Amino acid sequence: MSNALWFLLLGSLLLARGLTPSMLKRLPFTPAIVYLAVGLLVGPTVLSLFHVNPLKESALLEVLTEVAVLISLFSAGVKMPVPVSFARWRTPILLASVSMAVSVGLVAGIRLLFARSAPGRERLLGAILAPTDPVLATDVQIRHAGDATSSASP
């Protein structure tokens, strides 16, 4: 399968997602389920239009996932209707730096304690399991400009 077809599929999915947000809000499932269904439909399970050998096409998969993550991060950032100031970005910055580093360290430490394998392998596992998903992060985003100050006070 050519790279152009992969980019066409990914671009079509992202374009459809961008053009149909109101319709997708009314559905009883998330866009991730739609992506999964499309993947099952065009993949080897149903129509067999796209085949992926992760070992042979690792470079392409890396590029596709980078593009998807960048677009997810961009769309999550665009949804935040607040002005840019350190006070408003303090919590997301702490979550993205300190909390993530702590969770990577905890996973690596627990694995080192129980599995006793190579420290590099355990740090990699910790980085993989750290909560970095921008799609899930949209659930904890600020919806309105006043949300950050009202949620900070008890």
Side-chain angles (χ1 to χ4, degrees), residues 8-43:
L8 182 64
L9 175 66
L10 182 64
S12 299
L13 285 172
L14 292 172
L15 184 63
R17 171 70 173 111
L19 295 175
T20 59
S22 60
M23 185 178 75
L24 288 175
K25 281 184 181 179
R26 287 183 262 149
L27 296 175
F29 43 83
T30 65
I33 298 297
V34 174
Y35 294 145
L36 179 63
V38 169
L40 286 171
L41 181 70
V42 300

Side-chain angles (χ1 to χ4, degrees), residues 8-94:
L8 182 64
L9 175 66
L10 182 64
S12 299
L13 285 172
L14 292 172
L15 184 63
R17 171 70 173 111
L19 295 175
T20 59
S22 60
M23 185 178 75
L24 288 175
K25 281 184 181 179
R26 287 183 262 149
L27 296 175
F29 43 83
T30 65
I33 298 297
V34 174
Y35 294 145
L36 179 63
V38 169
L40 286 171
L41 181 70
V42 300
T45 308
V46 179
L47 297 177
S48 227
L49 296 175
F50 289 90
H51 297 279
V52 177
N53 183 342
L55 297 176
K56 289 182 180 176
E57 306 207 23
S58 61
L60 173 64
L61 290 175
E62 182 180 356
V63 171
L64 289 174
T65 54
E66 286 173 357
V67 168
V69 167
L70 286 173
I71 291 172
S72 296
L73 287 171
F74 177 77
S75 64
V78 167
K79 289 181 195 174
M80 295 183 72
V82 294
V84 177
S85 69
F86 181 72
R88 295 198 187 269
W89 281 89
R90 183 175 173 263
T91 302
I93 288 171
L94 286 173

